Amino acid sequence: MKTFDAAATAAQLPFERLIPALSALFADPACQVPARHVHEIAAPDGGPPLTSLLMPAWLPGRCYGVKIVNIAPGNAARGLPGLHGAYLLFDAVTGVPLALMDGDEITSRRTAAASALAATYLARPDARWLLVLGTGRVASLLPAAYAAVRPIEEVRVWARSPDKAQALAESLRAQGFAAEAAPDLAAAVAWAHVVSCATLAREPLVQGAWLAPASHLDLIGSFTPEMREADDDCFRNTELFVDTEEALRKSGDLLGPLARGVITPADLRATLADLCRRTAPGRRTAMERTVFKSVGTALEDLAAAMLVQAGG
């Protein structure tokens, strides 16, 4: 069995290879993704429990994989990160273990790649100006992911902490991007061809009134019912797409507008699988505004893990 640490895992996942790998697996109807398992493990001292998430997926006749993510709220007091993950890949016929790899790198890179994959169908072909909200691991990867599919020329970064926004902008400049911090969120949203949100916000940050015609809004962070990155106006007079239909049941960005009648399930244009299988169109006109809401799927983890194993 091969073992890949974080650096080795990341090295096998350049976006130029990862995005096509995601597309191929989304287009493959044979890929199976059952519901994830959630387990709570009590803390011996009565503190907050360890929550373990098990996310399986398999491609019959080829590979079976499971990502295990452990969330330990008590780790802050221990001086440790609160989240740890690992990915196990097996032969789907024999059950033989093939590889163990870093789950955090798998998650962050496939998340950014899924947004870029959606943008190949939804963002205007000449999209050059990218606004990133957030400064975490996924946010830091978004410019490179988008640059693999669109002619990104300028990047602006907004965060609640101006110092963190400036630090990420400096890091992006070191990577060769023309990047700067954006102190005025409304002005930055109005400027952008693509607005990509990777935050943990619980109240809307982006207002639909700020979005420019023909823009593309990418919502990554709202993966629970309590989280929101966009207000209701972001979903009015727009074309809505999701990574999977599970987004309609999990994301606060969609649950709120659905409950208030701003959108209905019938307003969903397509999933990422529909787009990759060419059973539904993406952007249809030059001036339409598009929204892509993702909550993540184990299919993306499997695609990334298979790429790591094959390359290593």
Side-chain angles (χ1 to χ4, degrees), residues 233-253:
D233 284 343
C234 288
F235 300 96
R236 292 189 172 100
N237 302 313
T238 193
E239 303 297 326
L240 175 63
F241 301 82
V242 297
D243 57 349
T244 70
E245 291 189 358
E246 191 174 3
L248 297 173
R249 301 185 293 273
K250 289 177 62 174
S251 171
D253 270 326

Side-chain angles (χ1 to χ4, degrees), residues 37-65:
H37 303 262
V38 182
H39 301 282
E40 285 199 352
I41 302 168
D45 59 0
L50 173 72
T51 299
S52 188
L53 311 179
L54 281 66
M55 288 162 274
W58 58 85
L59 195 57
R62 293 185 60 189
C63 291
Y64 158 58

Side-chain angles (χ1 to χ4, degrees), residues 188-301:
V189 170
W191 163 86
H193 296 152
V194 176
V195 177
S196 188
C197 304
T199 75
L200 299 177
R202 301 176 76 86
E203 297 292 336
L205 298 171
V206 178
Q207 297 185 25
W210 300 340
L211 290 161
S215 63
H216 173 59
L217 176 60
D218 171 37
L219 301 171
I220 298 170
S222 173
F223 48 83
T224 72
E226 297 77 26
M227 302 170 75
R228 289 191 71 188
E229 295 182 305
D231 74 353
D232 284 358
D233 284 343
C234 288
F235 300 96
R236 292 189 172 100
N237 302 313
T238 193
E239 303 297 326
L240 175 63
F241 301 82
V242 297
D243 57 349
T244 70
E245 291 189 358
E246 191 174 3
L248 297 173
R249 301 185 293 273
K250 289 177 62 174
S251 171
D253 270 326
L254 299 183
L255 289 171
L258 283 166
R260 290 183 287 275
V262 175
I263 57 174
T264 71
D267 291 318
L268 175 62
R269 275 269 306 276
T271 65
L272 204 43
D274 295 329
L275 295 173
C276 293
R277 294 170 188 171
R278 308 286 180 169
T279 57
R283 174 177 288 269
R284 294 179 293 190
T285 69
M287 295 305 294
E288 72 181 3
R289 191 161 56 77
T290 53
V291 176
F292 175 66
K293 176 66 207 126
S294 61
V295 292
T297 167
L299 178 152
E300 298 162 0
D301 298 319

Side-chain angles (χ1 to χ4, degrees), residues 8-21 109 113 144-145 148 307-308:
T9 300
Q12 298 301 326
L13 296 175
F15 290 113
E16 293 76 9
R17 295 176 58 209
L18 179 54
I19 294 167
R109 297 190 74 84
L307 191 58
V308 172

Side-chain angles (χ1 to χ4, degrees), residues 1-6 9-10 13 18 22 25 31-34 36 52-59 62-70 83-92 96-110 297-310:
M1 180 174 68
K2 300 177 183 177
T3 301
F4 299 85
D5 63 12
T9 300
L13 296 175
L18 179 54
L22 290 186
L25 206 54
C31 188
Q32 302 294 305
V33 184
R36 72 182 185 181
S52 188
L53 311 179
L54 281 66
M55 288 162 274
W58 58 85
L59 195 57
R62 293 185 60 189
C63 291
Y64 158 58
V66 181
K67 185 172 73 175
I68 302 174
V69 177
N70 296 325
L83 186 146
H84 295 275
Y87 198 95
L88 282 167
L89 187 68
F90 303 87
D91 184 292
V96 171
L98 300 176
L100 169 65
M101 57 198 73
D102 186 86
D104 296 345
E105 285 292 341
I106 290 281
T107 301
S108 59
R109 297 190 74 84
R110 63 80 157 158
T297 167
L299 178 152
E300 298 162 0
D301 298 319
L302 179 62
M306 290 171 62
L307 191 58
V308 172
Q309 193 271 337

Side-chain angles (χ1 to χ4, degrees), residues 135-228:
T135 58
R137 176 61 177 161
V138 172
S140 72
L141 293 169
L142 287 168
Y146 270 98
V149 300
R150 286 294 183 268
I152 301 300
E153 294 178 356
E154 295 184 46
V155 179
R156 295 183 183 175
V157 179
W158 181 90
R160 294 187 188 278
S161 166
D163 289 344
K164 289 183 178 180
Q166 185 61 48
L168 179 53
E170 290 176 2
S171 175
L172 294 172
R173 286 197 294 272
Q175 299 172 41
F177 289 100
E180 61 183 57
D184 185 331
L185 180 56
V189 170
W191 163 86
H193 296 152
V194 176
V195 177
S196 188
C197 304
T199 75
L200 299 177
R202 301 176 76 86
E203 297 292 336
L205 298 171
V206 178
Q207 297 185 25
W210 300 340
L211 290 161
S215 63
H216 173 59
L217 176 60
D218 171 37
L219 301 171
I220 298 170
S222 173
F223 48 83
T224 72
E226 297 77 26
M227 302 170 75
R228 289 191 71 188

